[in-house]
């Protein structure tokens, strides 16, 4: 807490320089309050400074997950969702935030929540009432009627479950614009919409578009007017291209992207945020949780293709930011995606950059985080050993500092 001295010096065995893609040996980092003040081989330790010895560890900037759902977590039976109120979710959300932070993820872009629970969580974290990552919040996922963000597969008698305002459902250019305004009014930092069908929802297709080009254009233009970037949930090739043309900052999932889509992403500088760990967890767990067979069947259509297309997009030069869809699998396992990204073509440095400097760039937070640099937040993590040689070390982050405050330190010296 704030009883800790406000001047700290970290002695780092080595530092990963995410801006230059290099590894620096033996650095000292001077931190005052929440900010990095000085980095050097030999800096003078101020009298009142607290020295943190990480000389046997590799020090990295705090990790960033650009695709989380930090206010909920699957793990119950599929039908449990009908027995829960927002209060049930609200009670557990702080534990998810804590697990995320302790996994070394000091920032997240949270891309879908209900009842503005994400905004409440962000406020509690930012006022230091509870531990958690810095958050960018999307609030409701904007979806067409019958789309990925609607509740599908059940009787129409269940349909009027919420007042329409308190949901992400919107149809037509006027309604989607109104929806963006409503979400921005109540705390959306970023706008997320469903460009295509999804896996973990009961509509039949996994890739078909769910908004017209005009609707997607309207969402992105309206968000831009309010100073917000947009991102699109999109598995299908056509929907991916429509969302890129509308001007989204990132494509989420991107599973069935084709060559034309890849070329468009490069041309427009669109980021790909592909949750390439998720397939393992869904195939392993979701049948046991009572998810309908048709959902598992859809996962089998996209899982492998998503990974192959991730490699293809990477090799073509598409910009990639780290995003895992945490909440589908338990929060705190966010680091499990690194090894998959390496298996599907990234160097370990590229994988680390995707979760630091690239992620910060996508979020518009490059001046605040994403690298260990003077003037940025002291969001700093460490592991014993070298993750450049052994990427799986990032599944067990041992030291976590956010804004100069130490939230975890299991590195014994
Ligand atoms: N939320 C996503 C959806 O339901 C999860 C997709 C998971 N599968 C995958 N291969 N990434 O569409």
């Amino acid at each position: 807490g704030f009883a800790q001295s406000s001047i700290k010096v970290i002695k780092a065995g080595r530092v990963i320089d995410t801006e230059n893609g290099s590894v620096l040996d033996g650095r000292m980092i001077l931190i005052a309050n929440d900010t990095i003040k000085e980095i050097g081989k030999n800096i003078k330790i101020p009298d009142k400074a607290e020295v943190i010895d990480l000389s046997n560890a590799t020090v990295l900037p705090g990790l960033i997950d650009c695709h989380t759902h930090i206010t909920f977590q699957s793990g119950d039976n599929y039908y449990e969702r009908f027995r829960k109120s927002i209060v049930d979710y609200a009670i557990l959300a702080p534990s998810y935030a804590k697990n995320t932070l302790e996994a070394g993820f000091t920032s997240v872009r949270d891309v879908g929540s209900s009842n503005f629970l994400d905004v409440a969580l962000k406020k509690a974290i930012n006022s230091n009432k509870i531990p958690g990552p810095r958050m960018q919040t999307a609030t409701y996922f904007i979806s067409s009627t019958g789309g990925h963000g609607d509740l599908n597969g059940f009787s129409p008698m269940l349909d009027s479950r919420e007042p329409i305002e308190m949901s992400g459902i919107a149809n037509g250019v006027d309604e989607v614009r109104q929806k963006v305004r409503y979400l921005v009014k109540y705390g959306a930092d970023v706008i997320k919409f469903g460009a295509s069908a999804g896996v973990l929802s009961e509509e039949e297709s996994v890739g078909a578009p769910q908004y017209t080009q005009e609707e997607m254009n309207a969402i992105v233009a309206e968000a831009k007017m309010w100073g917000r970037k947009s991102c699109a949930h999109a598995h299908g090739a056509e929907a991916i291209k429509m969302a890129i043309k509308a001007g989204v900052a990132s494509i989420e999932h991107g599973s069935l992207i084709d060559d034309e889509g890849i070329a468009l992403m490069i041309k427009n500088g669109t980021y790909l945020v592909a949750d390439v760990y998720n397939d393992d967890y869904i195939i392993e767990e979701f049948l046991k949780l009572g998810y309908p067979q048709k959902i598992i069947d859809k996962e089998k259509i996209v899982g492998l293709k998503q990974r192959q297309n991730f490699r293809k997009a990477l090799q073509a030069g598409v910009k990639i930011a780290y995003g895992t869809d945490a909440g589908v699998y338990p929060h705190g396992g966010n680091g499990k995606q690194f090894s998959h990204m390496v298996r599907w073509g990234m160097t370990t440095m590229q994988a680390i950059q995707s979760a630091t400097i690239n992620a910060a760039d996508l979020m518009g937070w490059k001046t605040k985080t994403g690298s260990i640099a003077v003037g940025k937040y002291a969001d700093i993590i460490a592991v014993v050993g070298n993750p450049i040689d052994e990427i799986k070390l990032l599944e067990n982050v041992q030291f976590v500092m956010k804004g100069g405050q130490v939230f975890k330190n299991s590195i014994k010296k």
Side-chain angles (χ1 to χ4, degrees):
F2 286 123
Q4 293 176 330
S5 103
S6 61
I7 307 281
K8 298 190 177 81
V9 173
I10 292 177
K11 288 184 172 172
R14 64 174 83 79
V15 172
I16 308 248
D17 176 352
T18 54
E19 287 181 48
N20 297 303
S22 61
V23 180
L24 311 170
D25 283 325
R27 289 292 190 280
M28 290 164 80
I29 305 164
L30 176 71
I31 296 145
N33 301 317
D34 64 355
T35 305
I36 298 169
K37 291 292 179 196
E38 203 182 331
I39 305 163
K41 273 201 170 286
N42 233 321
I43 59 184
K44 189 175 152 3
I45 299 177
D47 285 346
K48 272 182 276 176
E50 178 193 335
V51 176
I52 301 170
D53 189 353
L54 302 175
S55 56
N56 63 340
T58 302
V59 169
L60 301 87
L63 303 170
I64 304 171
D65 191 330
C66 294
H67 191 126
T68 66
H69 298 282
I70 205 167
T71 57
F72 71 80
Q73 183 167 296
S74 314
D76 294 328
N77 183 279
Y78 184 56
Y79 298 95
E80 265 306 301
R81 65 181 64 190
F82 304 111
R83 301 184 180 94
K84 283 184 169 172
S85 76
I86 194 64
V87 182
D88 292 297
Y89 293 103
I91 283 177
L92 293 174
S95 71
Y96 305 148
K98 182 168 185 277
N99 292 348
T100 303
L101 180 62
E102 288 179 354
F105 285 78
T106 52
S107 299
V108 302
R109 191 180 62 153
D110 201 72
V111 289
S113 180
S114 64
N115 299 66
F116 303 99
L117 184 49
D118 51 352
V119 178
L121 189 67
K122 175 178 66 180
K123 281 189 198 157
I125 292 168
N126 288 351
S127 59
N128 216 30
K129 301 255 185 346
I130 58 168
R134 303 181 193 284
M135 289 176 65
Q136 230 171 53
T137 51
T139 73
Y140 284 96
F141 171 94
I142 302 179
S143 169
S144 58
T145 294
H148 183 58
D150 200 354
L151 177 65
N152 302 314
F154 297 92
S155 160
M157 292 170 72
L158 295 174
D159 219 22
S160 55
R161 63 199 186 281
E162 281 177 323
I164 196 73
E165 267 219 331
M166 284 292 274
S167 83
I169 306 299
N171 300 285
V173 165
D174 288 348
E175 267 185 38
V176 297
R177 283 192 180 269
Q178 191 185 331
K179 186 63 72 177
V180 169
R181 291 174 191 177
Y182 176 69
L183 301 185
V184 168
K185 176 179 173 185
Y186 289 111
D189 303 313
V190 59
I191 293 296
K192 161 100 175 291
F193 67 93
S196 89
V199 176
L200 304 175
S201 45
E202 286 202 27
E203 71 270 36
E204 298 300 324
S205 159
V206 60
Q210 295 189 333
Y211 273 126
T212 62
Q213 187 69 61
E214 289 67 36
E215 288 168 310
M216 292 191 207
N217 293 349
I219 292 171
V220 177
E222 189 66 33
K224 191 175 173 202
M225 195 171 95
W226 295 91
R228 270 43 169 202
K229 296 190 186 194
S230 301
C231 63
H233 160 103
H235 289 285
E238 199 52 43
I240 290 170
K241 285 182 276 197
M242 291 165 76
I244 302 166
K245 285 177 190 157
V248 295
S250 62
I251 293 292
E252 310 299 304
H253 310 295
S255 310
L256 307 175
I257 192 167
D258 61 11
D259 291 342
E260 205 187 331
I262 288 174
L264 265 180
M265 289 190 87
I266 294 168
K267 180 167 158 257
N268 293 14
T270 318
Y271 270 98
L272 175 63
V273 179
D275 53 334
V276 291
Y277 159 65
N278 241 340
D279 177 68
D280 282 12
Y281 191 83
I282 292 169
I283 296 295
E284 179 72 23
E285 300 294 333
F286 274 48
L287 216 45
K288 287 184 236 165
L289 298 176
Y291 275 72
Q293 184 62 44
K294 68 174 168 188
I295 285 179
I296 310 297
D297 292 343
K298 285 196 284 177
E299 182 55 45
K300 287 181 178 155
I301 294 172
V302 300
L304 177 62
K305 285 213 177 85
Q306 183 186 34
R307 291 170 178 189
Q308 291 166 338
N309 287 331
F310 167 82
R311 182 171 55 196
K312 209 169 158 190
L314 168 74
Q315 286 170 356
V318 171
K319 294 196 287 186
I320 289 170
Y322 196 92
T324 66
D325 214 354
V328 170
Y329 68 86
H331 295 284
N334 309 59
K336 289 183 180 172
Q337 188 172 284
F338 284 107
S339 66
H340 286 77
M341 293 170 101
V342 170
R343 184 169 334 134
W344 290 91
M346 278 186 156
T347 65
T348 53
M349 181 62 84
Q350 282 177 318
I352 291 167
Q353 286 173 317
S354 80
T356 52
I357 197 73
N358 287 10
D361 183 42
L362 171 56
M363 290 172 74
W365 281 7
K366 224 171 147 177
T367 58
K368 301 178 186 174
T369 188
S371 63
I372 296 178
V374 172
K376 289 196 180 187
Y377 285 133
D379 292 356
I380 294 172
I381 65 160
V383 290
V384 173
N386 189 352
I388 296 294
D389 300 331
E390 213 180 323
I391 195 71
K392 275 182 168 274
L393 290 175
L394 295 179
E395 293 178 17
N396 292 296
V397 170
Q398 292 157 297
F399 172 87
V400 180
M401 171 185 274
K402 192 193 83 176
Q405 248 186 290
V406 177
F407 286 89
K408 179 182 188 178
N409 189 359
S410 60
I411 296 181
K412 299 279 168 280
K413 254 318 256 177

